[in-house]
Amino acid sequence: MAKIKSRYVCTECGSVSAKWLGCCPQCGQWNTLHEEIEAPPAPVAARSVVRRAGKSPAALKDIKSEETARLVTGIGELDAVLGGGIVPGALILLSGDPGIGKSTLVLQLASAVCGAAGTVLYATGEESAGQIKLRARRLGIDAPELLIQADTYLDAVLKTAENEKAGLLIVDSIQTMYTSDCDGAPGSQGQIREGTNKLMNFAKSTGMPVVVIGHVTKDGAIAGPRLMEHLVDVVLYLEGERQYQFRILRSMKNRFGSTNEAGIFTMSETGLKELLNPSALLLAERSAGEAGSAVAAVMDGLRPLLGEVQALTSRSVFAVPRRTVVGMDYNRLILLLAVLEKRVGLNLSTQDVYINIAGGLKLNEPAADLPVALAIVSSLRDVVVDKNTALMGEIGLTGDIRRVPHVRRRVQEAAKLGFTRFILPRGNKDDMGRHTYDVVYVKNLGEALRAAFKEE
Ligand code: TYD
Ligand code: MG
């Protein structure tokens, strides 16, 4: 009898180790190795690997490009993120936190492409067919070509898709599916890897595009989409804060398009709606004319977005003052506070500092440094940043304000929403070219403060 062995697989990078280790030698993450029972190798005769002659190479100029017609979903934001629609035979992973709206999005997608793609098969291991029906009713979907299969057996799902000659297969979710080619419970690393491989082979051999949902859990232990990212063609992430309506669909990897596009939606009573003017929504409840508020023009991929940065400083009663952030990187705030202390001479060591980016937006871009810093100063000194001024600029450790990319786009977006005055890095002067805006170019924090608060 063959001996059953166990091995340890990293949930972050998928590397395999023979023994358990606290730290993955490949990616350096801690506590990511999980035990897997390795099935005994199949007898030689049963193995599907055959020795064969390799393929001969071809000159690049002789290879025909495979530009095929894409399946356009009609949901503009989704099409843009996909690079112009779904490519035949593509395996697309849609990932995101639980409850963010993945099942809603795929159901809307299924209904949108139904006519054009023919039949769409929606396989769900998460919910019953009745639950999907309820959601479809809520979304006002009544697509006769949409088939729902509530099943967790992947091989059966693939069989149905093939028999029905579906134009699109949706699998919700990979964690609930199992295949008989692999031991282990649904959701185990082995099942996820094998299931994804199967879907990939299926998509490539039939030309049927497949959208598969994958969960991310906080510690990533059973989720495994990290591991799947290497295998699939396209990785989409649906992000947002559940309490807010705002949802951003991002592509982290796309073999058929750019990863710069981001689709913006709102979650409404009747599903996800494309949001054509996100900046207006983000600024709708702005506390203009109040101290501690500044408007940032940031880029999300290639799209400019305006968001309100709110800062509150208050005298600390703690030995170590508190710093709390919502919507931006904590360490970035610490860095900005240190620069403000050292280069502008503000005394922040006795102040608690709270930062909130309104509307659930996440500012993970250095261009947001200047608005954050000015919002802090505004709150501390109780002076207002002019409500028609938009700001952008990266702050260096020496207090210098550095150039930001796509400055014209940001300014144009802000101008559309009625901003008339801009504080920009000196380094961006040439990028702005000829214009009619009221712009102040600043070289360092001191100049920026003078420009924002009109100090002498
Ligand atoms: P769901 O698509 O089930 O999320 P996921 O598949 O990512 O876990 O949607 C989750 C939430 O969305 C749910 O809490 C209810 C809300 N929702 C709406 O607000 N409007 C709607 O039309 C639908 C269908 C859901
Ligand atoms: Mg779901």
Side-chain angles (χ1 to χ4, degrees), residues 45-79:
R47 278 187 219 160
S48 56
V49 183
V50 266
R51 280 170 202 273
R52 59 170 180 78
K55 290 185 180 169
S56 44
L60 180 64
K61 64 180 173 44
D62 298 333
I63 301 174
K64 290 197 182 69
S65 71
E66 298 175 359
E67 230 0 278
T68 37
R70 293 178 184 235
L71 177 61
V72 177
T73 69
I75 305 172
E77 298 284 294
L78 179 59
D79 284 330

Side-chain angles (χ1 to χ4, degrees), residues 44-287:
V44 176
R47 278 187 219 160
S48 56
V49 183
V50 266
R51 280 170 202 273
R52 59 170 180 78
K55 290 185 180 169
S56 44
L60 180 64
K61 64 180 173 44
D62 298 333
I63 301 174
K64 290 197 182 69
S65 71
E66 298 175 359
E67 230 0 278
T68 37
R70 293 178 184 235
L71 177 61
V72 177
T73 69
I75 305 172
E77 298 284 294
L78 179 59
D79 284 330
V81 174
L82 287 168
I86 300 176
V87 173
L91 178 57
I92 299 166
L93 169 66
L94 172 62
S95 189
D97 290 336
I100 205 73
K102 300 181 294 297
S103 301
T104 308
L105 181 64
V106 289
L107 191 58
Q108 287 182 272
L109 161 70
S111 133
V113 299
C114 246
T119 311
V120 174
L121 179 63
Y122 185 144
T124 173
E126 301 251 326
E127 291 153 307
S128 68
Q131 281 171 311
I132 305 267
K133 176 74 185 177
L134 272 181
R135 181 179 290 130
R137 190 174 302 154
R138 184 169 174 183
L139 300 175
I141 290 173
D142 176 29
E145 303 94 337
L146 178 56
L147 297 178
I148 310 291
Q149 182 170 357
D151 202 341
T152 52
Y153 186 38
L154 189 61
D155 306 61
V157 167
L158 295 184
K159 196 101 218 121
T160 318
E162 207 165 356
N163 291 345
E164 295 290 340
K165 297 200 171 46
L168 174 69
L169 169 64
I170 292 171
V171 178
D172 186 2
S173 62
I174 192 72
Q175 276 85 14
T176 56
M177 294 286 159
Y178 74 96
T179 154
S180 49
D181 293 355
C182 177
D183 294 337
S188 67
Q189 297 287 323
Q191 282 286 358
I192 291 178
R193 196 173 328 113
E194 191 55 38
T196 312
N197 273 328
K198 239 181 185 177
L199 286 170
M200 193 63 170
N201 289 338
F202 178 80
K204 294 293 172 263
S205 61
T206 59
M208 188 189 304
V210 179
V211 177
V212 55
I213 291 181
H215 295 287
V216 260
T217 56
K218 282 278 173 291
D219 59 352
I222 45 163
R226 278 283 134 74
L227 201 132
M228 295 169 71
E229 282 174 8
H230 303 286
L231 304 173
V232 303
D233 294 315
V234 180
V235 180
L236 302 181
Y237 267 93
L238 188 60
E239 311 177 339
E241 299 286 334
R242 229 179 313 164
Q243 328 55 313
Y244 294 102
Q245 315 165 318
F246 215 56
R247 300 283 182 276
I248 300 186
L249 183 69
R250 256 181 243 285
S251 82
M252 299 305 208
K253 163 181 176 180
N254 192 346
R255 287 186 179 152
F256 317 112
S258 102
T259 49
N260 281 330
E261 295 286 348
I264 302 185
F265 298 89
T266 49
M267 179 60 97
S268 73
E269 283 296 299
T270 51
L272 288 160
K273 295 262 175 333
E274 294 177 60
L275 189 57
L276 298 176
N277 196 347
S279 298
L281 179 85
L282 284 168
L283 294 183
E285 292 172 60
R286 179 157 76 103
S287 28

Side-chain angles (χ1 to χ4, degrees), residues 297-367:
V298 292
M299 296 301 287
D300 199 322
L302 288 177
R303 179 193 326 231
L305 272 185
L306 294 190
E308 184 195 2
V309 180
Q310 298 176 334
L312 177 67
T313 58
S314 73
R315 253 197 98 70
S316 183
V317 293
F318 304 102
V320 180
R322 299 178 64 137
R323 276 84 177 89
T324 307
V325 288
V326 178
M328 74 171 281
D329 181 29
Y330 177 81
N331 290 325
R332 194 81 201 169
L333 171 66
I334 302 297
L335 185 148
L336 292 176
L337 291 176
V339 174
L340 282 171
E341 274 236 42
K342 182 89 180 172
R343 306 291 168 198
V344 189
L346 297 184
N347 184 8
L348 291 157
S349 56
T350 57
Q351 301 283 327
D352 291 335
V353 179
Y354 305 91
I355 298 287
N356 176 39
I357 312 301
L361 185 73
K362 290 204 167 47
L363 297 187
N364 290 326
E365 206 209 355

